[in-house]
Structures are given as structure tokens and as C-alpha cells.
Amino acid sequence: MTAQPPQTHPSPETLDQLFANRDLMRLAYDFLPVGIVVTENRVLRDCNRRFCEIFGYPRAELLDQLFAFLYPSEEEFLNLRSRGDDTLGAGAPYWDERVMRRKDGSLFWVRVRGHSFTPEDPLARAVWSFADLSRSRPYQPLTRREREVYSLLCEGKTSKEIARSLGLSYRTVEVHRARLLKKMGVSNTAALFSSLGDIDGDHVVGSAEP
């Protein structure tokens, strides 16, 4: 896990001035313990300090950039293009947990929550929060298929059921399951769950690797 620097704090003088001017909304935005981003058609228009800290970039290198460079691959970015459109289009908040990339190239899990200002075109203008899950969920280098198999195992499906769901043979599913056990250094599915944590369900976006 890549160590993250401690979150910075405003100087006492800056803090006094912000309180004196009642500029508390800006204070809250900048020093919220989660990253906040305002986007326009998936282009990053503004972000707070915590977002910069999480991803390891100075603010100037983030503004007006397409979000693609913060993903493990261009394919992964494109795969997520319309995810959540139905939820956001209905005016409801959306969330998922996904793997993203820091400036130093390290991959890590984040919890993403979003709200669209334009439900008729959900990604036209939106606000998002990003919570770093590194401490509770270290990134494991699993392929997309391994993540799919793991997610279905978490749902209690058997290898035969997983094979039907993914259009694979039973033997192929068993091979992926065996690789998961080997990568995590465990001997059974229960221990696998303990090692990888709760990354199951519809709100998980895995790696786009084959």
C-alpha cells in the first residue's frame, strides 16, 4: 500500500480569517476528509485538497483534464462511461467501489459517490466524492475475470452457476478459483473472503484486464 501524506490543515491565521469572513463553505470543501470533484462531461473542472492528496497530483495538473488518466487503463475508463446513468438520471445519488490509479502508478480501491446536476444528461455536469479505501482494502492484482468469479462466489453461487452466468466452462471457473486461492495464499473460499474483504455485488467495478 502506498503511504498517503497526512492531510494538511489551514494555518491559524487562515483559519481565523475564514471564520471571520464566514467563508465556511470553502473551508468545508477544501478540508473535507474525502475528495470532492466537480465534472463536466467527465472533465475535471474543480477539486478539493483531499482529492489532490489522494491521487498525488497538484491541483494545476488535474484541472480541465479528462478523467481517463486516473484509471488503470483507457478500456476501464470507457467501460465505466455509462455506469450509473439510470440512477443519476432518476435524480438519485449513485455509488460504487472501483480501482483507480495514483500519480506514482500505484492502483488502489476507492468508494465513489455521485450526484448529477443534469439528470437528463447525467454526466454533463455532476459532483463526486472519492474515499480512499487503501487501509481497509489493500489492492490485489486480480484480472477482470478473477474479480467476476470472486464477486459471484461472494453471492453464494457454485462453480457451475458461475460458469452459466459468465458463459464459461466449469473447468475454466475452477481454474480461476484455484488461481485466486494461490494468489492469496489460502486453501479455501472462506479464507479467500477474509483475505480480499467484501468486494462483492453490483457496486463493484473491477479491473478491465482479460
Side-chain angles (χ1 to χ4, degrees):
M1 179 182 70
T2 302
Q4 292 298 293
Q7 188 171 357
T8 56
H9 299 280
S11 67
E13 295 79 11
T14 300
L15 190 61
D16 288 343
Q17 184 177 6
L18 289 168
F19 269 86
N21 295 336
R22 293 295 188 266
D23 196 4
L24 303 184
M25 290 182 65
R26 185 68 200 186
L27 180 68
Y29 175 73
D30 264 344
F31 295 96
L32 202 67
V34 296
I36 300 293
V37 178
V38 179
T39 59
E40 184 176 25
N41 295 315
R42 303 190 84 182
V43 173
L44 197 157
R45 296 304 189 196
D46 196 16
C47 63
N48 69 350
R49 296 188 186 207
R50 182 57 184 151
F51 185 83
C52 298
E53 292 170 355
I54 288 173
F55 285 90
Y57 286 89
R59 188 168 178 270
E61 292 184 18
L62 292 167
L63 297 188
D64 300 324
Q65 300 295 319
L66 189 65
F67 245 90
F69 74 105
L70 297 177
Y71 284 85
S73 67
E74 179 73 16
E75 182 184 5
E76 176 73 354
F77 175 70
L78 294 175
N79 285 343
L80 288 166
R81 179 166 46 199
S82 59
R83 189 176 179 90
D85 277 7
D86 291 343
T87 301
L88 293 169
Y94 170 78
W95 73 276
D96 67 40
E97 292 174 357
R98 62 183 68 174
V99 174
M100 299 192 76
R101 183 187 299 276
R102 293 191 177 97
K103 185 176 183 179
D104 65 8
S106 61
L107 302 181
F108 68 113
W109 280 96
V110 295
R111 179 176 294 117
V112 180
R113 300 180 187 272
H115 171 76
S116 176
F117 300 120
T118 53
E120 69 282 358
D121 186 2
L123 296 181
R125 291 177 175 173
V127 61
W128 306 87
S129 70
F130 290 78
D132 186 352
L133 301 180
S134 298
R135 293 187 180 279
S136 60
R137 185 179 302 169
Y139 172 75
Q140 301 291 346
L142 306 183
T143 67
R144 181 189 65 187
R145 192 63 83 187
E146 287 169 345
R147 291 185 186 282
E148 290 173 341
V149 169
Y150 179 75
S151 292
L152 293 172
L153 283 171
C154 286
E155 293 177 11
K157 294 186 182 298
T158 65
S159 291
K160 288 183 179 179
E161 291 171 331
I162 293 171
R164 287 196 295 269
S165 295
L166 298 179
L168 303 174
S169 70
Y170 170 81
R171 175 171 173 75
T172 299
V173 171
E174 283 293 285
V175 168
H176 284 303
R177 180 178 174 277
R179 286 176 178 170
L180 283 167
L181 295 175
K182 184 176 180 180
K183 279 187 176 183
M184 298 302 106
V186 296
S187 59
N188 56 58
T189 304
L192 182 66
F193 294 159
S194 178
S195 296
L196 281 176
D198 180 20
I199 65 170
D200 59 305
D202 295 336
H203 292 288
V204 174
V205 183
S207 167
E209 298 168 14

